[in-house]
Amino acid sequence: MNITRKWASKKQRALEILVRLKRLYPNAPCTLNYATPVQLLVATILSAQCTDERVNLVTPALFGQFPDAEALAKAEPVEIENLIRSTGFYRNKAKNIQAACRILVAEYGGKVPPSMEQLLRLPGVARKTANVVLAHAFGINAGVTVDTHVKRLSYRLGLTKNTDPIHIERDLIRLLPSDDWENFSIRIIYHGRAICKARNPACEACLLSDLCPSANVRE
DNA sequence: ATCCCGAGGG
DNA sequence: CCCTCTGGAT
């Protein structure tokens, strides 16, 4: 049974998925806690391979001691490491956070530059992190945030045949209106956490299953 | 392709 | 034990 046969096109199916997700998760705020664009950038770097919930556990102390780019740029690396240890990858994350903040101080007056090109020059920042920061700090629809959930669900839902984030993002950009890029990612992430889990996807409870070529076909 | 890395679930 | 969690650099 070919799911796509029931829909005029993959794009139409993608738009129906978007409508369902909006109905399913009416409110879909960013779940990272932060007060400034710099803090959002730092929190997003910390969120690599780690839940937002855990990031939110360490950022109050981190931002309490080092509230802005200037403070993080001057900090002892080991102090940052100790404050973020439980998020994993703490040596790389601390090094990247400090190096990025030093660039912010040196080149951008301690602020986050509002463009993809500038953000991608920061260490520890690639398209996923840049997309999150641009969308939430500046309201700029630069692209689609492709994290592990967006990757997994886009593939299962048949919205892409690719497995690398760059090509998945390209496919999603073609399928979705730019105004919906970020809320699509957030809602997909919600759905990935609650229903379409990596391990045992709850297809029986999934309100997208009639749109999903992978529904109930996993062992 | 591999490494960085801790915490929680099954 | 193994897998996964809003990745990125080498």
Side-chain angles (χ1 to χ4, degrees), chain A residues 14-70:
Chain A
L15 294 178
E16 176 63 17
I17 290 170
L18 185 59
V19 169
R20 300 260 187 109
L21 287 172
K22 287 181 180 178
R23 201 182 309 155
L24 211 47
Y25 310 102
N27 304 323
C30 173
T31 50
L32 288 171
N33 297 335
Y34 63 96
T36 66
V38 170
Q39 291 186 5
L40 174 60
L41 173 64
V42 172
T44 308
I45 291 173
L46 290 175
S47 74
Q49 297 294 293
C50 172
T51 61
D52 282 14
E53 189 181 357
R54 179 149 296 281
V55 173
N56 291 335
L57 247 35
V58 309
T59 44
L62 178 67
F63 297 148
Q65 279 201 35
F66 308 110
D68 50 32
E70 287 81 0

Side-chain angles (χ1 to χ4, degrees), chain A residues 178-191:
Chain A
S178 60
D179 281 345
D180 287 307
W181 286 347
E182 189 54 24
N183 81 70
F184 173 82
S185 292
I186 292 185
R187 290 186 164 100
I188 281 283
I189 290 164
Y190 271 66
H191 197 63

Side-chain angles (χ1 to χ4, degrees), chain A residues 191 195 202-208:
Chain A
H191 197 63
I195 306 291
C203 298
E204 320 76 38
C206 180
L207 298 184
L208 303 178

Side-chain angles (χ1 to χ4, degrees), chain A residues 9-178:
Chain A
S9 67
K10 183 183 286 189
K11 177 170 283 194
Q12 188 189 341
R13 197 164 55 86
L15 294 178
E16 176 63 17
I17 290 170
L18 185 59
V19 169
R20 300 260 187 109
L21 287 172
K22 287 181 180 178
R23 201 182 309 155
L24 211 47
Y25 310 102
N27 304 323
C30 173
T31 50
L32 288 171
N33 297 335
Y34 63 96
T36 66
V38 170
Q39 291 186 5
L40 174 60
L41 173 64
V42 172
T44 308
I45 291 173
L46 290 175
S47 74
Q49 297 294 293
C50 172
T51 61
D52 282 14
E53 189 181 357
R54 179 149 296 281
V55 173
N56 291 335
L57 247 35
V58 309
T59 44
L62 178 67
F63 297 148
Q65 279 201 35
F66 308 110
D68 50 32
E70 287 81 0
L72 286 163
K74 285 187 292 191
E76 282 299 322
V78 66
E79 290 189 79
I80 300 178
E81 288 181 8
N82 288 337
L83 288 165
I84 69 171
R85 184 176 308 274
S86 68
T87 66
F89 299 161
Y90 62 92
R91 277 194 280 263
N92 279 337
K93 287 176 180 177
K95 186 170 57 174
N96 287 333
I97 286 167
Q98 180 159 72
C101 284
R102 286 180 173 168
I103 294 175
L104 297 190
V105 171
E107 300 185 22
Y108 303 109
K111 296 186 175 181
V112 177
S115 83
M116 175 64 76
E117 189 184 356
Q118 292 167 310
L119 284 170
L120 291 181
R121 286 198 213 113
L122 301 175
V125 178
R127 291 193 61 88
K128 183 264 170 183
T129 300
N131 276 325
V132 170
V133 172
L134 288 169
H136 293 102
F138 302 111
I140 296 172
N141 301 318
V144 181
T145 298
V146 179
D147 72 316
T148 182
H149 293 295
V150 176
K151 175 180 174 178
R152 182 179 71 252
L153 271 69
S154 296
Y155 188 82
R156 285 182 179 170
L157 284 163
L159 299 179
T160 183
K161 292 179 178 174
N162 291 296
T163 54
D164 61 297
I166 296 293
H167 290 104
I168 292 173
E169 182 180 2
R170 184 199 60 191
D171 292 339
L172 294 174
I173 282 174
R174 290 174 179 163
L175 288 170
L176 301 166
S178 60

